[in-house]
């Protein structure tokens, strides 16, 4: 029986399925080939190695990206871009680990970048500043989600909830000798109480504050 016809689209869909099932650590050319019912050698007509597979997968992960409506100020749209990107990465297993640091000019990524840059230039940002602002947003969201999905400690890795680990850390800070660690003791609640949504929003708002200073007038 002949092997099924393989396309880059079917390859990307298979890679997404393996990623969701086995995570990035379990993603391999062999597993992706098995997912589409072909021999691993057939994949090399489309991707030469796992790194090229990850390039293809990076673009595929952006296929579900929804562009924010062109409503409100540039800041409103910028903030919504960040929130939507975070939600997209959180919705797919290990997505942040795949996309972090990669720039692959696939059709879905190109569409998002073109839209972002158009909005930023229209808002009055200089070309270089618009390019940097787009990069900064991507780097912030990816980095935040990477931290968000990494265990806070061995306790969380062993099964404790993130909230339990954070509360335990707060208790540890409060129990420190105040003469040696006055700031950690005083700020124990501020360091450990805020949830990840609050932390993300704080950073995102500060990015927008900084970028606003680059606009004329």
């Amino acid at each position: 029986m002949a092997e099924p016809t393989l396309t880059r689209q079917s390859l990307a869909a298979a890679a997404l399925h393996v990623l969701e099932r086995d995570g990035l650590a379990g993603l391999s050319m062999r597993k992706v080939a098995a997912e589409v019912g072909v021999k691993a050698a057939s994949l090399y007509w489309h991707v030469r190695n796992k790194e090229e597979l990850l390039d293809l997968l990076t673009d595929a992960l952006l296929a579900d990206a929804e562009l924010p409506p062109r409503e409100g100020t540039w800041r409103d749209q910028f903030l919504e871009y960040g929130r939507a990107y975070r939600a997209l990465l959180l919705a797919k297993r290990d997505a942040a680990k795949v996309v972090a640091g990669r720039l692959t000019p696939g059709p879905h990524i190109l569409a998002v970048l073109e839209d972002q840059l158009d909005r930023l230039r229209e808002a009055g940002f200089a070309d270089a500043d618009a390019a940097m602002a787009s990069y900064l947003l991507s780097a912030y969201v990816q980095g935040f989600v990477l931290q968000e999905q990494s265990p806070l400690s061995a306790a969380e890795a062993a099964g404790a909830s993130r909230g339990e680990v954070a509360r335990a850390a707060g208790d540890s800070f409060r129990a420190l000798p105040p003469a040696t660690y006055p700031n950690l003791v005083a700020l124990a609640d501020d360091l450990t109480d805020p949830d990840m949504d609050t932390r993300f929003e704080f950073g995102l708002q500060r990015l927008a504050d900084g970028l606003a200073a680059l606009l004329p007038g």
Side-chain angles (χ1 to χ4, degrees), residues 6 21 48 53 56 65 81 84-85 116 128 132 149-150 158 191:
L6 184 64
R21 185 188 66 212
R48 290 177 291 183
L53 177 64
L56 185 64
Y81 244 118
Y85 191 28
Q116 281 185 0
M132 291 294 281
Q149 294 185 327
S150 299
L191 288 167

Side-chain angles (χ1 to χ4, degrees), residues 39-103:
K39 296 177 181 178
S42 298
L43 269 60
Y44 295 99
W45 290 99
H46 300 278
V47 289
R48 290 177 291 183
N49 49 46
K50 186 177 178 180
E51 287 302 316
E52 289 195 1
L53 177 64
L54 290 175
D55 284 350
L56 185 64
L57 184 55
T58 295
D59 189 65
L61 285 166
L62 270 292
D64 295 333
E66 295 185 4
L67 305 181
R70 286 181 176 261
E71 299 173 354
T73 65
W74 73 267
R75 183 187 180 108
D76 296 330
Q77 296 173 46
F78 181 85
L79 296 175
E80 191 54 38
Y81 244 118
R83 295 167 188 145
Y85 191 28
R86 176 183 174 228
L88 178 72
L89 295 181
L90 287 174
K92 299 179 185 294
R93 182 178 179 182
D94 285 348
K97 292 181 181 179
V98 174
V99 305
R102 286 188 178 269
L103 178 60

